[in-house]
Amino acid sequence: MDKLIDLRSDTVTVPTEKMRKAMYKAEVGDDVYRDDPTMLRLERLAAQTMGKEDALFIPSGTMGNQLAIMTHTQRGEEIITEAEAHIFYYEVGALGFLAGVQAKQLRGYMGALNPDEVEAAIRMEDLHFPRTALICEENTHNRAGGTVVPLDTMEAIYRVAHEHDIPVHLDGARIFNAATALGVEAKDVARWADSVMFCVSKGLCAPVGSLLTGSKAFIDKARKIRKMLGGGMRQSGVLAAAAIVAITDMPQRLYEDHENARILAQGLAEIKGINVDLDTVQTNMINFDITDTGLNGNQLAEIIRPYGIKIAGSPNGKMRFVTHYYVTRDDVYRVLAVMKELIEEPVFAMSRNA
């Protein structure tokens, strides 16, 4: 077995050789004192890339999202999110524990909120209600399958929000994937949000980190909260060097991951017992269901591992594969061949029915 094909997430990517060399040679200083030249260069690049005034490096996307919420809101207020949003679903209850806000959840379509429903959910001034302080969007949308929120939807929500003097925050962890799918620049997606968080440690291959972008006043406030949460780092230019390469070099190749995901999804859909909603395969994620095969996700993860393929298991038939820089077209065909063998081979079928 020459290579392990890891489809669990695009977070498993490791730094490229160019990133490693940049990290080795990085000029550094103390970033808390704002004298790390490589970090300063990264934050200027991030702000420019998103079309914002300023940017702040943070260790993770979760910290970036929570910094944004804590900066935009006050305790006891309410934010509006999509029901399956990462901010609500995967950030360990930080909305309540850290920011002290509650979430008004709206069910979107493929991760996209309905602008009319957003407007209807905004609280009017009333003694009994918390103030609606922030609207949060996610593009691409993780739990919807890496789906892309259309720009006209984002614009409509932004205009509704600003009519009510409410800011918009975008969880743009994979904003470059969204921009690639839409055929636009990242700043065209970021335009319809007051603050944007994006990750460099997923499909862009940097080892650590995310960037929070917005107005200078917003970032100044967020920087102080970052320090409070323990996110102020010292010679972090070592990490910034890799992030600069990630932003500069990696977005333009993301279409390859999207093409590989589409081929993988189409191939999976042709295997008996696997159900794939191809409409949701818009970027580098494939959500599918193997319930009809008689296997659950944990069983599949166990039997496919000896073939050099690593996947995330599940206690039911719901599965996700994610393509990235280290998954090649040949790897995709290899995975499909193994999946077909494991699921359709009579010996496995008999073992499941025994």
PDB file of all heavy atoms in Angstrom, residues 27-31 34-45 55-58 211 223 226 233-241 243-244:
ATOM      1  N   GLU A  27      10.381  35.739   8.470  1.00  0.00           N
ATOM      2  CA  GLU A  27      10.849  36.781   9.376  1.00  0.00           C
ATOM      3  C   GLU A  27       9.767  37.002  10.427  1.00  0.00           C
ATOM      4  O   GLU A  27       8.601  37.216  10.085  1.00  0.00           O
ATOM      5  CB  GLU A  27      11.104  38.073   8.592  1.00  0.00           C
ATOM      6  CG  GLU A  27      11.679  39.193   9.422  1.00  0.00           C
ATOM      7  CD  GLU A  27      11.861  40.477   8.623  1.00  0.00           C
ATOM      8  OE1 GLU A  27      11.522  40.489   7.421  1.00  0.00           O
ATOM      9  OE2 GLU A  27      12.323  41.475   9.207  1.00  0.00           O
ATOM     10  N   VAL A  28      10.140  36.941  11.682  1.00  0.00           N
ATOM     11  CA  VAL A  28       9.127  36.978  12.737  1.00  0.00           C
ATOM     12  C   VAL A  28       9.433  38.054  13.770  1.00  0.00           C
ATOM     13  O   VAL A  28      10.541  38.583  13.857  1.00  0.00           O
ATOM     14  CB  VAL A  28       9.000  35.603  13.444  1.00  0.00           C
ATOM     15  CG1 VAL A  28       8.580  34.534  12.469  1.00  0.00           C
ATOM     16  CG2 VAL A  28      10.313  35.219  14.136  1.00  0.00           C
ATOM     17  N   GLY A  29       8.412  38.351  14.567  1.00  0.00           N
ATOM     18  CA  GLY A  29       8.511  39.273  15.697  1.00  0.00           C
ATOM     19  C   GLY A  29       7.399  38.921  16.661  1.00  0.00           C
ATOM     20  O   GLY A  29       6.754  37.885  16.521  1.00  0.00           O
ATOM     21  N   ASP A  30       7.128  39.774  17.606  1.00  0.00           N
ATOM     22  CA  ASP A  30       6.071  39.526  18.597  1.00  0.00           C
ATOM     23  C   ASP A  30       4.772  40.135  18.079  1.00  0.00           C
ATOM     24  O   ASP A  30       4.607  41.354  18.066  1.00  0.00           O
ATOM     25  CB  ASP A  30       6.473  40.148  19.934  1.00  0.00           C
ATOM     26  CG  ASP A  30       5.540  39.738  21.066  1.00  0.00           C
ATOM     27  OD1 ASP A  30       4.312  39.643  20.825  1.00  0.00           O
ATOM     28  OD2 ASP A  30       6.030  39.516  22.179  1.00  0.00           O
ATOM     29  N   ASP A  31       3.827  39.278  17.694  1.00  0.00           N
ATOM     30  CA  ASP A  31       2.609  39.791  17.067  1.00  0.00           C
ATOM     31  C   ASP A  31       1.697  40.508  18.053  1.00  0.00           C
ATOM     32  O   ASP A  31       0.910  41.364  17.659  1.00  0.00           O
ATOM     33  CB  ASP A  31       1.842  38.652  16.381  1.00  0.00           C
ATOM     34  CG  ASP A  31       0.619  39.160  15.639  1.00  0.00           C
ATOM     35  OD1 ASP A  31       0.774  40.118  14.848  1.00  0.00           O
ATOM     36  OD2 ASP A  31      -0.488  38.643  15.877  1.00  0.00           O
ATOM     37  N   ARG A  34       2.444  43.733  17.720  1.00  0.00           N
ATOM     38  CA  ARG A  34       2.190  44.138  16.327  1.00  0.00           C
ATOM     39  C   ARG A  34       3.495  44.413  15.577  1.00  0.00           C
ATOM     40  O   ARG A  34       3.577  45.314  14.739  1.00  0.00           O
ATOM     41  CB  ARG A  34       1.285  45.379  16.263  1.00  0.00           C
ATOM     42  CG  ARG A  34      -0.052  45.235  16.978  1.00  0.00           C
ATOM     43  CD  ARG A  34      -0.968  44.196  16.342  1.00  0.00           C
ATOM     44  NE  ARG A  34      -1.479  44.672  15.045  1.00  0.00           N
ATOM     45  CZ  ARG A  34      -1.416  43.965  13.927  1.00  0.00           C
ATOM     46  NH1 ARG A  34      -0.850  42.780  13.908  1.00  0.00           N
ATOM     47  NH2 ARG A  34      -1.916  44.456  12.815  1.00  0.00           N
ATOM     48  N   ASP A  35       4.545  43.644  15.886  1.00  0.00           N
ATOM     49  CA  ASP A  35       5.787  43.847  15.158  1.00  0.00           C
ATOM     50  C   ASP A  35       6.304  42.570  14.495  1.00  0.00           C
ATOM     51  O   ASP A  35       7.502  42.408  14.290  1.00  0.00           O
ATOM     52  CB  ASP A  35       6.872  44.457  16.066  1.00  0.00           C
ATOM     53  CG  ASP A  35       7.291  43.554  17.210  1.00  0.00           C
ATOM     54  OD1 ASP A  35       6.816  42.404  17.279  1.00  0.00           O
ATOM     55  OD2 ASP A  35       8.118  43.995  18.036  1.00  0.00           O
ATOM     56  N   ASP A  36       5.376  41.670  14.149  1.00  0.00           N
ATOM     57  CA  ASP A  36       5.741  40.505  13.339  1.00  0.00           C
ATOM     58  C   ASP A  36       5.487  40.868  11.874  1.00  0.00           C
ATOM     59  O   ASP A  36       4.334  40.974  11.445  1.00  0.00           O
ATOM     60  CB  ASP A  36       4.908  39.283  13.742  1.00  0.00           C
ATOM     61  CG  ASP A  36       5.371  38.012  13.043  1.00  0.00           C
ATOM     62  OD1 ASP A  36       5.432  38.029  11.793  1.00  0.00           O
ATOM     63  OD2 ASP A  36       5.669  37.022  13.733  1.00  0.00           O
ATOM     64  N   PRO A  37       6.526  41.094  11.080  1.00  0.00           N
ATOM     65  CA  PRO A  37       6.326  41.598   9.721  1.00  0.00           C
ATOM     66  C   PRO A  37       5.581  40.637   8.807  1.00  0.00           C
ATOM     67  O   PRO A  37       4.827  41.067   7.932  1.00  0.00           O
ATOM     68  CB  PRO A  37       7.755  41.847   9.217  1.00  0.00           C
ATOM     69  CG  PRO A  37       8.616  40.979  10.070  1.00  0.00           C
ATOM     70  CD  PRO A  37       7.959  40.917  11.405  1.00  0.00           C
ATOM     71  N   THR A  38       5.782  39.342   9.014  1.00  0.00           N
ATOM     72  CA  THR A  38       5.094  38.368   8.161  1.00  0.00           C
ATOM     73  C   THR A  38       3.607  38.334   8.482  1.00  0.00           C
ATOM     74  O   THR A  38       2.762  38.243   7.585  1.00  0.00           O
ATOM     75  CB  THR A  38       5.715  36.979   8.326  1.00  0.00           C
ATOM     76  OG1 THR A  38       7.136  37.065   8.157  1.00  0.00           O
ATOM     77  CG2 THR A  38       5.165  36.009   7.292  1.00  0.00           C
ATOM     78  N   MET A  39       3.266  38.438   9.768  1.00  0.00           N
ATOM     79  CA  MET A  39       1.855  38.481  10.142  1.00  0.00           C
ATOM     80  C   MET A  39       1.189  39.751   9.629  1.00  0.00           C
ATOM     81  O   MET A  39       0.048  39.716   9.140  1.00  0.00           O
ATOM     82  CB  MET A  39       1.710  38.384  11.660  1.00  0.00           C
ATOM     83  CG  MET A  39       0.263  38.368  12.141  1.00  0.00           C
ATOM     84  SD  MET A  39      -0.699  37.001  11.419  1.00  0.00           S
ATOM     85  CE  MET A  39       0.026  35.607  12.298  1.00  0.00           C
ATOM     86  N   LEU A  40       1.862  40.863   9.713  1.00  0.00           N
ATOM     87  CA  LEU A  40       1.299  42.107   9.195  1.00  0.00           C
ATOM     88  C   LEU A  40       1.030  41.992   7.692  1.00  0.00           C
ATOM     89  O   LEU A  40       0.002  42.471   7.201  1.00  0.00           O
ATOM     90  CB  LEU A  40       2.250  43.271   9.472  1.00  0.00           C
ATOM     91  CG  LEU A  40       2.421  43.662  10.953  1.00  0.00           C
ATOM     92  CD1 LEU A  40       3.545  44.682  11.101  1.00  0.00           C
ATOM     93  CD2 LEU A  40       1.119  44.213  11.519  1.00  0.00           C
ATOM     94  N   ARG A  41       1.945  41.339   6.993  1.00  0.00           N
ATOM     95  CA  ARG A  41       1.761  41.166   5.546  1.00  0.00           C
ATOM     96  C   ARG A  41       0.569  40.257   5.265  1.00  0.00           C
ATOM     97  O   ARG A  41      -0.230  40.515   4.354  1.00  0.00           O
ATOM     98  CB  ARG A  41       3.043  40.584   4.940  1.00  0.00           C
ATOM     99  CG  ARG A  41       3.021  40.469   3.421  1.00  0.00           C
ATOM    100  CD  ARG A  41       4.444  40.461   2.853  1.00  0.00           C
ATOM    101  NE  ARG A  41       5.216  39.317   3.294  1.00  0.00           N
ATOM    102  CZ  ARG A  41       5.328  38.180   2.604  1.00  0.00           C
ATOM    103  NH1 ARG A  41       4.692  38.041   1.445  1.00  0.00           N
ATOM    104  NH2 ARG A  41       6.058  37.189   3.057  1.00  0.00           N
ATOM    105  N   LEU A  42       0.429  39.190   6.043  1.00  0.00           N
ATOM    106  CA  LEU A  42      -0.713  38.288   5.860  1.00  0.00           C
ATOM    107  C   LEU A  42      -2.025  39.026   6.090  1.00  0.00           C
ATOM    108  O   LEU A  42      -2.970  38.894   5.297  1.00  0.00           O
ATOM    109  CB  LEU A  42      -0.616  37.109   6.832  1.00  0.00           C
ATOM    110  CG  LEU A  42      -1.896  36.258   6.945  1.00  0.00           C
ATOM    111  CD1 LEU A  42      -2.242  35.589   5.618  1.00  0.00           C
ATOM    112  CD2 LEU A  42      -1.768  35.232   8.064  1.00  0.00           C
ATOM    113  N   GLU A  43      -2.114  39.792   7.151  1.00  0.00           N
ATOM    114  CA  GLU A  43      -3.383  40.444   7.471  1.00  0.00           C
ATOM    115  C   GLU A  43      -3.746  41.496   6.432  1.00  0.00           C
ATOM    116  O   GLU A  43      -4.931  41.660   6.094  1.00  0.00           O
ATOM    117  CB  GLU A  43      -3.320  41.010   8.892  1.00  0.00           C
ATOM    118  CG  GLU A  43      -3.306  39.892   9.937  1.00  0.00           C
ATOM    119  CD  GLU A  43      -3.130  40.354  11.364  1.00  0.00           C
ATOM    120  OE1 GLU A  43      -2.696  41.519  11.572  1.00  0.00           O
ATOM    121  OE2 GLU A  43      -3.398  39.563  12.284  1.00  0.00           O
ATOM    122  N   ARG A  44      -2.749  42.182   5.887  1.00  0.00           N
ATOM    123  CA  ARG A  44      -3.039  43.111   4.780  1.00  0.00           C
ATOM    124  C   ARG A  44      -3.535  42.357   3.556  1.00  0.00           C
ATOM    125  O   ARG A  44      -4.493  42.778   2.897  1.00  0.00           O
ATOM    126  CB  ARG A  44      -1.778  43.914   4.426  1.00  0.00           C
ATOM    127  CG  ARG A  44      -1.397  44.980   5.428  1.00  0.00           C
ATOM    128  CD  ARG A  44      -0.363  45.949   4.862  1.00  0.00           C
ATOM    129  NE  ARG A  44       0.886  45.267   4.526  1.00  0.00           N
ATOM    130  CZ  ARG A  44       1.919  45.147   5.367  1.00  0.00           C
ATOM    131  NH1 ARG A  44       1.842  45.662   6.588  1.00  0.00           N
ATOM    132  NH2 ARG A  44       3.027  44.541   4.977  1.00  0.00           N
ATOM    133  N   LEU A  45      -2.912  41.218   3.257  1.00  0.00           N
ATOM    134  CA  LEU A  45      -3.324  40.401   2.117  1.00  0.00           C
ATOM    135  C   LEU A  45      -4.745  39.873   2.301  1.00  0.00           C
ATOM    136  O   LEU A  45      -5.563  39.909   1.366  1.00  0.00           O
ATOM    137  CB  LEU A  45      -2.351  39.231   1.945  1.00  0.00           C
ATOM    138  CG  LEU A  45      -2.726  38.180   0.890  1.00  0.00           C
ATOM    139  CD1 LEU A  45      -2.748  38.786  -0.516  1.00  0.00           C
ATOM    140  CD2 LEU A  45      -1.757  36.994   0.955  1.00  0.00           C
ATOM    141  N   ALA A  55      -7.855  42.925   8.907  1.00  0.00           N
ATOM    142  CA  ALA A  55      -7.981  41.483   9.141  1.00  0.00           C
ATOM    143  C   ALA A  55      -7.224  41.096  10.395  1.00  0.00           C
ATOM    144  O   ALA A  55      -6.315  41.812  10.854  1.00  0.00           O
ATOM    145  CB  ALA A  55      -7.453  40.698   7.946  1.00  0.00           C
ATOM    146  N   LEU A  56      -7.592  39.954  10.949  1.00  0.00           N
ATOM    147  CA  LEU A  56      -7.006  39.446  12.183  1.00  0.00           C
ATOM    148  C   LEU A  56      -6.800  37.945  12.043  1.00  0.00           C
ATOM    149  O   LEU A  56      -7.733  37.210  11.684  1.00  0.00           O
ATOM    150  CB  LEU A  56      -7.938  39.739  13.365  1.00  0.00           C
ATOM    151  CG  LEU A  56      -7.531  39.231  14.749  1.00  0.00           C
ATOM    152  CD1 LEU A  56      -6.284  39.975  15.235  1.00  0.00           C
ATOM    153  CD2 LEU A  56      -8.679  39.411  15.734  1.00  0.00           C
ATOM    154  N   PHE A  57      -5.581  37.472  12.313  1.00  0.00           N
ATOM    155  CA  PHE A  57      -5.287  36.035  12.280  1.00  0.00           C
ATOM    156  C   PHE A  57      -5.749  35.399  13.573  1.00  0.00           C
ATOM    157  O   PHE A  57      -5.496  35.926  14.661  1.00  0.00           O
ATOM    158  CB  PHE A  57      -3.790  35.816  12.088  1.00  0.00           C
ATOM    159  CG  PHE A  57      -3.385  34.364  12.000  1.00  0.00           C
ATOM    160  CD1 PHE A  57      -3.512  33.672  10.803  1.00  0.00           C
ATOM    161  CD2 PHE A  57      -2.873  33.699  13.106  1.00  0.00           C
ATOM    162  CE1 PHE A  57      -3.128  32.338  10.714  1.00  0.00           C
ATOM    163  CE2 PHE A  57      -2.490  32.372  13.028  1.00  0.00           C
ATOM    164  CZ  PHE A  57      -2.619  31.689  11.832  1.00  0.00           C
ATOM    165  N   ILE A  58      -6.432  34.265  13.463  1.00  0.00           N
ATOM    166  CA  ILE A  58      -6.841  33.520  14.650  1.00  0.00           C
ATOM    167  C   ILE A  58      -6.503  32.043  14.456  1.00  0.00           C
ATOM    168  O   ILE A  58      -6.375  31.561  13.335  1.00  0.00           O
ATOM    169  CB  ILE A  58      -8.357  33.671  14.969  1.00  0.00           C
ATOM    170  CG1 ILE A  58      -9.220  33.346  13.808  1.00  0.00           C
ATOM    171  CG2 ILE A  58      -8.679  34.969  15.612  1.00  0.00           C
ATOM    172  CD1 ILE A  58      -9.658  34.463  12.919  1.00  0.00           C
ATOM    173  N   LEU A 211      -8.648  33.626   9.199  1.00  0.00           N
ATOM    174  CA  LEU A 211      -8.601  35.087   9.209  1.00  0.00           C
ATOM    175  C   LEU A 211      -9.999  35.638   9.419  1.00  0.00           C
ATOM    176  O   LEU A 211     -10.956  35.145   8.815  1.00  0.00           O
ATOM    177  CB  LEU A 211      -8.042  35.628   7.900  1.00  0.00           C
ATOM    178  CG  LEU A 211      -6.521  35.645   7.663  1.00  0.00           C
ATOM    179  CD1 LEU A 211      -5.801  36.508   8.694  1.00  0.00           C
ATOM    180  CD2 LEU A 211      -5.927  34.256   7.606  1.00  0.00           C
ATOM    181  N   ARG A 223      -9.625  42.175  18.114  1.00  0.00           N
ATOM    182  CA  ARG A 223      -8.255  41.874  18.544  1.00  0.00           C
ATOM    183  C   ARG A 223      -8.166  41.814  20.074  1.00  0.00           C
ATOM    184  O   ARG A 223      -7.474  40.956  20.636  1.00  0.00           O
ATOM    185  CB  ARG A 223      -7.296  42.928  18.001  1.00  0.00           C
ATOM    186  CG  ARG A 223      -5.822  42.601  18.233  1.00  0.00           C
ATOM    187  CD  ARG A 223      -4.920  43.678  17.638  1.00  0.00           C
ATOM    188  NE  ARG A 223      -5.115  43.801  16.200  1.00  0.00           N
ATOM    189  CZ  ARG A 223      -4.547  43.017  15.287  1.00  0.00           C
ATOM    190  NH1 ARG A 223      -3.743  42.033  15.685  1.00  0.00           N
ATOM    191  NH2 ARG A 223      -4.773  43.213  14.004  1.00  0.00           N
ATOM    192  N   ARG A 226      -9.799  38.649  21.187  1.00  0.00           N
ATOM    193  CA  ARG A 226      -8.905  37.519  20.892  1.00  0.00           C
ATOM    194  C   ARG A 226      -7.880  37.346  22.012  1.00  0.00           C
ATOM    195  O   ARG A 226      -7.596  36.237  22.449  1.00  0.00           O
ATOM    196  CB  ARG A 226      -8.188  37.735  19.558  1.00  0.00           C
ATOM    197  CG  ARG A 226      -7.295  36.566  19.154  1.00  0.00           C
ATOM    198  CD  ARG A 226      -6.423  36.872  17.946  1.00  0.00           C
ATOM    199  NE  ARG A 226      -5.346  37.816  18.266  1.00  0.00           N
ATOM    200  CZ  ARG A 226      -4.325  38.066  17.457  1.00  0.00           C
ATOM    201  NH1 ARG A 226      -4.236  37.462  16.267  1.00  0.00           N
ATOM    202  NH2 ARG A 226      -3.398  38.940  17.815  1.00  0.00           N
ATOM    203  N   MET A 233      -0.851  35.630  19.900  1.00  0.00           N
ATOM    204  CA  MET A 233       0.335  34.791  19.730  1.00  0.00           C
ATOM    205  C   MET A 233       1.579  35.646  19.543  1.00  0.00           C
ATOM    206  O   MET A 233       1.486  36.822  19.236  1.00  0.00           O
ATOM    207  CB  MET A 233       0.125  33.848  18.550  1.00  0.00           C
ATOM    208  CG  MET A 233      -0.978  32.819  18.812  1.00  0.00           C
ATOM    209  SD  MET A 233      -1.431  31.882  17.353  1.00  0.00           S
ATOM    210  CE  MET A 233      -2.423  33.087  16.481  1.00  0.00           C
ATOM    211  N   ARG A 234       2.713  35.054  19.702  1.00  0.00           N
ATOM    212  CA  ARG A 234       3.970  35.789  19.646  1.00  0.00           C
ATOM    213  C   ARG A 234       4.591  35.694  18.247  1.00  0.00           C
ATOM    214  O   ARG A 234       4.167  36.353  17.339  1.00  0.00           O
ATOM    215  CB  ARG A 234       4.917  35.281  20.751  1.00  0.00           C
ATOM    216  CG  ARG A 234       4.307  35.419  22.160  1.00  0.00           C
ATOM    217  CD  ARG A 234       3.960  36.865  22.507  1.00  0.00           C
ATOM    218  NE  ARG A 234       3.332  36.982  23.834  1.00  0.00           N
ATOM    219  CZ  ARG A 234       3.004  38.105  24.418  1.00  0.00           C
ATOM    220  NH1 ARG A 234       3.223  39.251  23.790  1.00  0.00           N
ATOM    221  NH2 ARG A 234       2.439  38.116  25.604  1.00  0.00           N
ATOM    222  N   GLN A 235       5.556  34.836  18.032  1.00  0.00           N
ATOM    223  CA  GLN A 235       6.216  34.766  16.721  1.00  0.00           C
ATOM    224  C   GLN A 235       5.371  33.948  15.738  1.00  0.00           C
ATOM    225  O   GLN A 235       5.813  32.967  15.143  1.00  0.00           O
ATOM    226  CB  GLN A 235       7.618  34.183  16.858  1.00  0.00           C
ATOM    227  CG  GLN A 235       8.610  35.157  17.486  1.00  0.00           C
ATOM    228  CD  GLN A 235       8.379  35.377  18.966  1.00  0.00           C
ATOM    229  OE1 GLN A 235       8.020  34.459  19.689  1.00  0.00           O
ATOM    230  NE2 GLN A 235       8.570  36.604  19.429  1.00  0.00           N
ATOM    231  N   SER A 236       4.154  34.397  15.543  1.00  0.00           N
ATOM    232  CA  SER A 236       3.201  33.647  14.714  1.00  0.00           C
ATOM    233  C   SER A 236       3.419  33.864  13.226  1.00  0.00           C
ATOM    234  O   SER A 236       2.694  33.298  12.402  1.00  0.00           O
ATOM    235  CB  SER A 236       1.768  34.020  15.092  1.00  0.00           C
ATOM    236  OG  SER A 236       1.599  35.427  15.130  1.00  0.00           O
ATOM    237  N   GLY A 237       4.422  34.648  12.864  1.00  0.00           N
ATOM    238  CA  GLY A 237       4.760  34.785  11.456  1.00  0.00           C
ATOM    239  C   GLY A 237       5.134  33.479  10.807  1.00  0.00           C
ATOM    240  O   GLY A 237       5.023  33.324   9.580  1.00  0.00           O
ATOM    241  N   VAL A 238       5.587  32.498  11.598  1.00  0.00           N
ATOM    242  CA  VAL A 238       5.863  31.165  11.060  1.00  0.00           C
ATOM    243  C   VAL A 238       4.596  30.572  10.449  1.00  0.00           C
ATOM    244  O   VAL A 238       4.626  29.958   9.372  1.00  0.00           O
ATOM    245  CB  VAL A 238       6.412  30.247  12.169  1.00  0.00           C
ATOM    246  CG1 VAL A 238       6.555  28.818  11.666  1.00  0.00           C
ATOM    247  CG2 VAL A 238       7.748  30.760  12.674  1.00  0.00           C
ATOM    248  N   LEU A 239       3.461  30.772  11.132  1.00  0.00           N
ATOM    249  CA  LEU A 239       2.175  30.300  10.602  1.00  0.00           C
ATOM    250  C   LEU A 239       1.677  31.206   9.476  1.00  0.00           C
ATOM    251  O   LEU A 239       1.099  30.738   8.503  1.00  0.00           O
ATOM    252  CB  LEU A 239       1.146  30.249  11.726  1.00  0.00           C
ATOM    253  CG  LEU A 239       1.478  29.330  12.902  1.00  0.00           C
ATOM    254  CD1 LEU A 239       0.415  29.452  13.987  1.00  0.00           C
ATOM    255  CD2 LEU A 239       1.601  27.887  12.442  1.00  0.00           C
ATOM    256  N   ALA A 240       1.916  32.492   9.634  1.00  0.00           N
ATOM    257  CA  ALA A 240       1.464  33.447   8.622  1.00  0.00           C
ATOM    258  C   ALA A 240       2.123  33.186   7.278  1.00  0.00           C
ATOM    259  O   ALA A 240       1.505  33.372   6.220  1.00  0.00           O
ATOM    260  CB  ALA A 240       1.761  34.875   9.087  1.00  0.00           C
ATOM    261  N   ALA A 241       3.373  32.745   7.298  1.00  0.00           N
ATOM    262  CA  ALA A 241       4.090  32.491   6.050  1.00  0.00           C
ATOM    263  C   ALA A 241       3.386  31.422   5.223  1.00  0.00           C
ATOM    264  O   ALA A 241       3.246  31.550   3.994  1.00  0.00           O
ATOM    265  CB  ALA A 241       5.529  32.069   6.355  1.00  0.00           C
ATOM    266  N   ALA A 243       0.208  30.654   5.503  1.00  0.00           N
ATOM    267  CA  ALA A 243      -1.103  31.190   5.124  1.00  0.00           C
ATOM    268  C   ALA A 243      -1.003  32.101   3.906  1.00  0.00           C
ATOM    269  O   ALA A 243      -1.913  32.125   3.065  1.00  0.00           O
ATOM    270  CB  ALA A 243      -1.713  31.944   6.297  1.00  0.00           C
ATOM    271  N   ILE A 244       0.084  32.846   3.788  1.00  0.00           N
ATOM    272  CA  ILE A 244       0.272  33.709   2.614  1.00  0.00           C
ATOM    273  C   ILE A 244       0.343  32.869   1.343  1.00  0.00           C
ATOM    274  O   ILE A 244      -0.284  33.191   0.326  1.00  0.00           O
ATOM    275  CB  ILE A 244       1.538  34.572   2.787  1.00  0.00           C
ATOM    276  CG1 ILE A 244       1.305  35.631   3.857  1.00  0.00           C
ATOM    277  CG2 ILE A 244       1.924  35.232   1.460  1.00  0.00           C
ATOM    278  CD1 ILE A 244       2.565  36.370   4.278  1.00  0.00           C
TER     279      ILE A 244
END
